[in-house]
Amino acid sequence: MAVALASGLLFAFTPLVWGQAIIAEVYALNLLLVALLLWALLTQQSPLLVGLLLGLAITTHLTSLVFVPLVVLLLHKREWSALASVSSATTRFSKLVAGLLLGLSPFLLIPLFAQGDSPVIWGNPTTQRNWWTLVSGAIYRPNQFAFTHIDFLAKTEQWVSQLGWAFLLFLLITPLLSRISSPHPLQSSSPRLPLAITAVFLILYAFLYNTNDSIVLILPALFIIYLLFAPSLMLLEGFALALPLLYLLLNFSAMDLRNDDGIRPYAEDLLATAPPHAILQTNGDPALFSLWYFHFIEGQRSDIAIVDYHLFGFDWYRQQLPLIYPDLAVPVTDDLTKLQQDNAEKRPFCNVDIIIENNKTTPINSCLEDNT
C-alpha cells in the first residue's frame, strides 16, 4: 500500500501533471478516465464497464483512441485463455462494444448544446458535416506527424526542461531498483509489454505533433510509466513515501499560483489600450482565448470586436461573427483585408498577440506601435 501510494503521489507531483491539474483544461479529466480504464482492464472488470470508460476517455480527448488496440488485445487474450466457449467470448465482446457506444454518447449531445446563446460555438456543430468535423478533430490533423516542421533538437531540449531533471533521474533509478528488488506480478504479467508499447506510441505521437505545447499529450504515457515502474519501489518499502515528499518540496514553489496573475495583466492591457470600437485581430490561442474570457465573461470592452486570423478561414466562424457583432461587415470569403476595408470608417483595425516563450510573456499591439 505504501509503494502504491508513493507511486501515485510521485505521478501527481510531477510538474507536467500538477500544472494541468490547476488550470481549466481537459487533460486532468482525461487522466482520471484513463486511470479508471486501466484499473478496470487490468483488474478484469466487466467488459461493459471497460467499454464505457474507454468511450468516456475518448470523448475527453481523441488521443485515448490509442487504448482501443490495448483493450481489444488484453480482452481477447483473456477470453481465449479463460473461456472455452466462443459464444461466451462473443457475448462479452458485444458488451465491450455496447459500453463503448454508451461512453461515446456524449458526442450526440453536442448539437443540442450548440443551440444555446453562447457567443462562441466552436465549429457550429448543428449540421452532420460540422458535427463530424468537430468530433473527429479534423481541424488539427495537419499537426499530426509533421516531420518536416519540427526542430527535433529544440523540441528535445524543451521537453527535458518541462519534464525536469528529477523525473529523468526517476526513470534512471527505478530500472536499477527493479533488478535488485523482489519480483512482482505486474513485472512478469502479459499486460506489461502492450502497456509499454502504448506509452511509447503516445510519446512519439506527441513529439511529432506540431504545436508548442504538444508535451501535454504524453500525460497518459506518464501514467503508464509510473504504473510499470511502481514495483521497482518495493525495495524501499515504507521509505518509498519519502520520494513524493521530496518531489513535493522540489516542485511546490514552481506550481504555487497564489501570487501569479497569469495572463490577466497582458490581456487586460491589450483591451484597455485598444481604440474605441476597434477590431482586434488575434493570431492564436493565447491571445484569442484570453481576450474571449475577459471580453465575454467579465464584460470588458464590449465596444470592441475580436476576430482571429486562423479561425477566419472557416465558414462556420465567419457566419458566427455577425451574430456576435451585428454591426460588423463580414465578407463571405476568407478575406481579412476586405474585412478591414469594409469596416474602416467605423472600426479601427489592430493586430494583437500574446507570445509565451521560455516562461516569458510578450504582448503585441500594432495600434500602439503605429502611435509610437
Side-chain angles (χ1 to χ4, degrees), residues 11 14 95 111 120 150 152 191-192 210 230 261 274 278 319 335 372:
F11 176 71
T14 299
K95 291 182 178 180
V120 179
I150 295 176
F152 291 94
R192 190 169 185 266
N210 188 31
D261 292 329
Q319 293 166 4
D335 191 342
T372 56

Side-chain angles (χ1 to χ4, degrees), residues 24-216:
E25 255 293 359
V26 301
Y27 301 102
L29 176 60
N30 179 251
L31 272 176
L32 170 64
L33 291 167
V34 167
L36 291 172
L37 169 64
L38 292 179
W39 163 79
L41 184 62
L42 296 177
T43 58
Q44 300 187 5
Q45 300 299 312
S46 165
L48 183 65
L49 178 60
V50 172
L52 174 65
L53 293 171
L54 175 61
L56 290 175
I58 293 171
T59 63
T60 55
H61 206 282
L62 290 179
T63 51
S64 293
L65 285 166
V66 74
F67 290 103
V68 172
L70 179 70
V71 168
V72 173
L73 175 65
L74 296 188
L75 283 181
H76 175 71
K77 282 187 174 181
R78 194 178 85 197
E79 299 306 329
W80 284 110
S81 62
L83 296 174
S85 171
V86 175
S87 61
S88 298
T90 303
T91 299
R92 292 173 67 84
F93 191 78
S94 299
K95 291 182 178 180
L96 172 69
V97 174
L100 175 62
L101 294 176
L102 183 61
L104 294 174
S105 62
F107 281 139
L108 301 178
L109 298 176
I110 292 177
L112 176 63
F113 295 147
Q115 301 295 330
D117 59 354
S118 171
V120 179
I121 301 177
W122 194 269
N124 190 26
T126 54
T127 66
Q128 182 178 352
R129 178 174 175 268
N130 287 357
W131 174 84
W132 176 248
T133 299
L134 178 67
V135 301
S136 65
I139 187 176
Y140 305 109
R141 288 175 192 164
N143 295 330
Q144 297 176 330
F145 303 107
F147 292 91
T148 58
H149 296 87
I150 295 176
D151 185 334
F152 291 94
L153 179 59
K155 195 156 190 175
T156 301
E157 294 175 349
Q158 177 195 20
W159 277 33
V160 170
S161 174
Q162 290 181 283
L163 287 172
W165 290 105
F167 173 76
L168 298 177
L169 186 62
F170 171 82
L171 292 183
L172 292 175
I173 290 178
T174 47
L176 296 177
L177 289 176
S178 66
R179 289 181 176 273
I180 57 178
S181 63
S182 58
H184 186 277
L186 184 62
Q187 289 180 300
S188 57
S189 60
S190 59
R192 190 169 185 266
L193 180 59
L195 279 169
I197 293 174
T198 302
V200 169
F201 180 82
L202 276 167
I203 293 171
L204 290 175
Y205 177 83
F207 192 82
L208 297 175
Y209 196 83
N210 188 31
T211 61
N212 292 330
D213 61 347
S214 66
I215 192 172
V216 297

Side-chain angles (χ1 to χ4, degrees), residues 302 304-305 320-330 343 346-347:
S302 58
I304 60 105
Q320 282 187 19
L321 284 174
L323 302 177
I324 304 172
Y325 309 109
D327 67 324
L328 191 67
V330 181
N343 295 276
K346 53 185 178 181
R347 286 186 177 272

Side-chain angles (χ1 to χ4, degrees), residues 271-353:
L271 290 172
T273 55
H277 306 287
I279 296 176
L280 300 186
Q281 178 184 296
T282 57
N283 188 35
D285 293 354
L288 174 63
F289 294 158
S290 303
L291 295 184
W292 266 355
Y293 172 80
F294 294 107
H295 179 57
F296 292 124
I297 305 303
E298 295 195 0
Q300 296 189 29
R301 292 301 304 270
S302 58
D303 60 304
I304 60 105
I306 300 172
V307 178
D308 186 68
Y309 173 82
H310 299 284
L311 292 183
F312 201 78
F314 295 97
D315 295 342
W316 61 264
Y317 181 70
R318 295 195 303 274
Q319 293 166 4
Q320 282 187 19
L321 284 174
L323 302 177
I324 304 172
Y325 309 109
D327 67 324
L328 191 67
V330 181
V332 176
T333 58
D334 178 14
D335 191 342
L336 280 165
T337 301
K338 183 171 176 55
L339 173 74
Q340 181 177 354
Q341 294 172 346
D342 292 347
N343 295 276
E345 295 184 1
K346 53 185 178 181
R347 286 186 177 272
F349 196 87
C350 306
N351 285 295
V352 299
D353 203 355

